[in-house]
Coordinates of all heavy atoms in Angstrom, one line a residue:
L7 N -7.2 -0.3 4.1 CA -7.0 0.9 3.3 C -7.4 0.6 1.8 O -6.8 -0.3 1.3 CB -5.6 1.5 3.4 CG -5.2 2.7 2.4 CD1 -6.1 3.9 2.8 CD2 -3.8 3.0 2.5
T8 N -8.4 1.3 1.3 CA -8.8 0.9 -0.1 C -9.1 2.2 -0.9 O -9.1 3.3 -0.4 CB -9.9 -0.1 -0.1 OG1 -10.1 -0.7 -1.4 CG2 -11.3 0.5 0.4
G9 N -9.5 2.0 -2.1 CA -9.9 3.1 -3.0 C -9.7 2.6 -4.4 O -9.3 1.4 -4.6
S10 N -10.0 3.4 -5.4 CA -9.9 2.9 -6.8 C -8.6 3.4 -7.4 O -7.9 4.2 -6.8 CB -11.1 3.5 -7.6 OG -12.3 2.9 -7.1
I11 N -8.3 2.8 -8.5 CA -7.0 3.1 -9.2 C -6.8 4.6 -9.3 O -7.7 5.4 -9.6 CB -7.0 2.5 -10.6 CG1 -5.6 2.7 -11.3 CG2 -8.1 2.9 -11.5 CD1 -5.4 1.9 -12.5
G12 N -5.5 5.1 -9.0 CA -5.2 6.5 -9.2 C -5.7 7.5 -8.2 O -5.6 8.7 -8.4
M13 N -6.2 7.0 -7.1 CA -6.9 7.9 -6.1 C -5.9 8.2 -4.9 O -6.3 9.0 -4.0 CB -8.1 7.3 -5.5 CG -9.2 7.3 -6.6 SD -10.9 7.2 -5.9 CE -11.9 7.7 -7.3
G14 N -4.7 7.7 -5.0 CA -3.7 8.2 -4.0 C -3.6 7.2 -2.8 O -3.2 7.6 -1.7
K15 N -3.9 6.0 -3.0 CA -3.8 5.0 -1.9 C -2.4 4.7 -1.4 O -2.1 4.7 -0.2 CB -4.4 3.7 -2.4 CG -5.0 2.8 -1.4 CD -5.9 1.7 -1.9 CE -5.4 1.1 -3.3 NZ -4.0 0.7 -3.3
S16 N -1.5 4.6 -2.4 CA -0.1 4.3 -2.0 C 0.5 5.5 -1.2 O 1.2 5.3 -0.2 CB 0.8 4.1 -3.2 OG 0.3 2.9 -3.9
T17 N 0.2 6.7 -1.7 CA 0.7 7.9 -1.0 C 0.1 8.0 0.4 O 0.8 8.3 1.4 CB 0.3 9.2 -1.8 OG1 0.8 9.1 -3.1 CG2 0.7 10.5 -1.1
T18 N -1.2 7.7 0.5 CA -1.9 7.7 1.9 C -1.3 6.6 2.8 O -1.1 6.8 4.0 CB -3.4 7.4 1.7 OG1 -3.9 8.4 0.8 CG2 -4.1 7.5 3.0
A19 N -0.9 5.4 2.2 CA -0.3 4.4 3.0 C 1.0 4.9 3.6 O 1.4 4.6 4.7 CB -0.1 3.1 2.1
R20 N 1.8 5.7 2.8 CA 3.1 6.2 3.2 C 2.8 7.2 4.4 O 3.6 7.3 5.3 CB 3.8 6.9 2.1 CG 4.5 5.9 1.2 CD 5.6 6.6 0.3 NE 5.0 7.5 -0.6 CZ 4.5 7.2 -1.8 NH1 4.5 5.9 -2.2 NH2 4.0 8.1 -2.6
L21 N 1.7 8.0 4.3 CA 1.4 8.9 5.4 C 1.1 8.1 6.7 O 1.5 8.6 7.8 CB 0.2 9.8 5.0 CG 0.5 10.7 3.8 CD1 -0.9 11.4 3.5 CD2 1.5 11.8 4.2
F22 N 0.4 7.0 6.6 CA 0.2 6.2 7.8 C 1.5 5.6 8.3 O 1.7 5.6 9.5 CB -0.8 5.0 7.5 CG -2.2 5.4 7.5 CD1 -3.0 5.5 6.4 CD2 -2.9 5.6 8.7 CE1 -4.3 5.9 6.4 CE2 -4.2 6.0 8.8 CZ -4.9 6.1 7.6
A23 N 2.4 5.2 7.4 CA 3.7 4.7 7.9 C 4.5 5.8 8.6 O 5.2 5.6 9.6 CB 4.5 4.2 6.7
D24 N 4.4 7.0 8.1 CA 5.1 8.2 8.7 C 4.6 8.4 10.1 O 5.4 9.0 10.9 CB 4.9 9.5 7.9 CG 5.6 9.5 6.5 OD1 6.4 8.6 6.3 OD2 5.2 10.3 5.7
M25 N 3.4 8.0 10.4 CA 2.8 8.2 11.8 C 3.1 6.9 12.7 O 2.4 6.8 13.7 CB 1.4 8.5 11.7 CG 1.1 9.8 11.0 SD -0.4 10.6 11.5 CE -0.1 10.9 13.3
G26 N 3.9 6.0 12.2 CA 4.3 4.9 13.0 C 3.4 3.7 12.9 O 3.6 2.7 13.7
C27 N 2.6 3.7 11.9 CA 1.8 2.5 11.6 C 2.6 1.5 10.8 O 3.4 1.9 10.0 CB 0.5 2.8 10.8 SG -0.5 4.0 11.6
A28 N 2.3 0.2 11.0 CA 2.9 -0.9 10.1 C 2.0 -1.0 8.9 O 0.8 -0.9 9.0 CB 2.9 -2.2 10.9
V29 N 2.6 -1.0 7.7 CA 1.9 -1.0 6.5 C 2.2 -2.3 5.6 O 3.3 -2.6 5.4 CB 2.1 0.2 5.6 CG1 1.4 0.2 4.3 CG2 1.7 1.5 6.4
W30 N 1.1 -3.0 5.2 CA 1.2 -4.1 4.3 C 0.5 -3.8 3.0 O -0.6 -3.2 3.0 CB 0.5 -5.4 5.0 CG 0.6 -6.6 4.1 CD1 1.6 -7.5 4.1 CD2 -0.4 -7.1 3.2 NE1 1.3 -8.5 3.2 CE2 0.0 -8.3 2.7 CE3 -1.7 -6.6 2.9 CZ2 -0.7 -9.0 1.7 CZ3 -2.4 -7.3 1.9 CH2 -1.9 -8.5 1.4
D31 N 1.2 -4.1 1.9 CA 0.7 -3.7 0.6 C 0.4 -5.0 -0.2 O 1.3 -5.8 -0.5 CB 1.8 -2.9 -0.1 CG 1.5 -2.4 -1.5 OD1 0.7 -3.0 -2.2 OD2 2.0 -1.3 -1.8
A32 N -0.8 -5.1 -0.6 CA -1.3 -6.3 -1.3 C -0.5 -6.4 -2.7 O -0.1 -7.5 -3.1 CB -2.8 -6.3 -1.5
D33 N -0.4 -5.3 -3.4 CA 0.3 -5.4 -4.7 C 1.7 -5.8 -4.5 O 2.3 -6.5 -5.4 CB 0.2 -4.0 -5.4 CG -1.2 -3.7 -5.9 OD1 -2.0 -4.7 -6.1 OD2 -1.6 -2.5 -6.2
A34 N 2.4 -5.2 -3.5 CA 3.8 -5.6 -3.3 C 3.9 -7.1 -2.9 O 4.9 -7.7 -3.3 CB 4.4 -4.7 -2.1
A35 N 2.9 -7.6 -2.2 CA 2.9 -9.0 -1.8 C 2.9 -9.9 -3.1 O 3.6 -10.9 -3.3 CB 1.8 -9.4 -0.9
V36 N 2.0 -9.5 -4.0 CA 1.9 -10.2 -5.3 C 3.2 -10.1 -6.1 O 3.6 -11.1 -6.7 CB 0.7 -9.7 -6.1 CG1 0.6 -10.3 -7.5 CG2 -0.7 -10.0 -5.4
H37 N 3.7 -8.9 -6.1 CA 5.0 -8.7 -6.8 C 6.1 -9.7 -6.3 O 6.8 -10.3 -7.0 CB 5.4 -7.3 -6.6 CG 6.5 -6.8 -7.6 ND1 6.2 -6.5 -8.9 CD2 7.8 -6.7 -7.4 CE1 7.3 -6.2 -9.5 NE2 8.3 -6.3 -8.6
R38 N 6.2 -9.8 -4.9 CA 7.1 -10.7 -4.3 C 6.9 -12.2 -4.8 O 7.8 -12.9 -5.1 CB 7.1 -10.7 -2.8 CG 7.7 -9.5 -2.2 CD 7.9 -9.7 -0.7 NE 6.7 -10.0 0.1 CZ 5.8 -9.1 0.5 NH1 6.0 -7.8 0.3 NH2 4.7 -9.4 1.2
M39 N 5.6 -12.6 -4.8 CA 5.2 -13.9 -5.2 C 5.5 -14.2 -6.7 O 5.7 -15.4 -7.1 CB 3.8 -14.2 -4.9 CG 3.5 -14.3 -3.4 SD 1.8 -14.1 -3.1 CE 1.9 -13.7 -1.3
Y40 N 5.5 -13.2 -7.5 CA 5.7 -13.3 -8.9 C 7.2 -13.2 -9.3 O 7.6 -13.4 -10.4 CB 5.0 -12.2 -9.7 CG 3.5 -12.5 -9.9 CD1 2.9 -13.6 -9.4 CD2 2.7 -11.6 -10.7 CE1 1.5 -13.8 -9.6 CE2 1.4 -11.9 -10.9 CZ 0.8 -13.0 -10.3 OH -0.6 -13.2 -10.5

């Protein structure tokens, strides 16, 4: 799942999660590492 800044990627990821998909977030992974 990709797109440019501000295009609604995080919201779209949540919609996939609502449909039972497992979701991994690259930004959240970096946040954990930092």
Side-chain angles (χ1 to χ4, degrees):
L7 174 63
T8 195
S10 297
I11 182 171
M13 289 204 164
K15 204 165 38 53
S16 298
T17 302
T18 305
R20 283 195 295 277
L21 293 174
F22 276 107
D24 291 347
M25 295 208 62
C27 302
V29 176
W30 180 85
D31 181 329
D33 287 341
V36 173
H37 196 77
R38 284 195 304 276
M39 288 163 199
Y40 281 4

